[in-house]
Amino acid sequence: QAQIQEAITLAREALRAARANFDQQTQQLQRDVGKAMMGADQLVEQSRSKTQAALNQSVAQSDAAIQHLNDERKEVYLRAEAELSRARSQFVKHITDRQEALKQQLCS
């Protein structure tokens, strides 16, 4: 009878120890999982941040390229407008000179 009681007591102590060990391992796993999740969150945030920075840089470069093209377009338009104005002036002068020459021919 005493041996049975001692075996039961030893078995209970072994179960308690196993349970305590299981609880400790579970807590450690929970801490490890928490750390891993925090690490994963940090990696995701870093990746998102880098992606956002690259996107912002790309948008800025695109905006700069668009502005450059708009500036070139304005410059070409202004040059064409100046050239057209010069051509008109030359044409008007040519017509005026031609009219004067014809008047002189008619008068003489």
Side-chain angles (χ1 to χ4, degrees):
Q1 184 75 18
Q3 288 178 336
I4 294 174
Q5 276 305 96
E6 188 177 334
I8 291 173
T9 301
L10 288 175
R12 284 183 179 160
E13 288 176 8
L15 283 173
R16 284 188 194 115
R19 175 61 192 238
N21 186 37
F22 175 78
D23 289 345
Q24 287 177 347
Q25 288 178 350
T26 300
Q27 289 172 358
Q28 185 60 46
L29 283 173
Q30 287 174 339
R31 286 191 293 270
D32 292 347
V33 166
K35 287 178 185 177
M37 289 181 71
M38 287 174 53
D41 287 346
Q42 288 175 345
L43 289 175
V44 167
E45 180 56 30
Q46 288 173 354
S47 177
R48 187 206 61 77
S49 180
K50 286 179 183 178
T51 301
Q52 186 65 46
L55 178 62
N56 290 345
Q57 182 179 8
S58 178
V59 168
Q61 289 172 342
S62 295
D63 287 346
I66 289 169
Q67 185 60 47
H68 177 72
L69 290 173
N70 282 335
D71 291 345
E72 279 188 16
R73 181 183 56 82
K74 288 176 187 174
E75 187 178 318
V76 166
Y77 177 78
L78 290 174
R79 276 188 279 168
E81 197 173 61
E83 184 65 27
L84 181 60
S85 177
R86 187 180 63 77
R88 281 183 189 144
S89 295
Q90 286 179 345
F91 181 71
V92 167
K93 183 179 181 327
H94 173 73
I95 295 298
T96 304
D97 290 349
R98 188 73 177 130
Q99 285 175 341
E100 282 298 319
L102 287 174
K103 280 183 189 176
Q104 286 180 4
Q105 282 179 355
L106 288 175
C107 290
S108 50

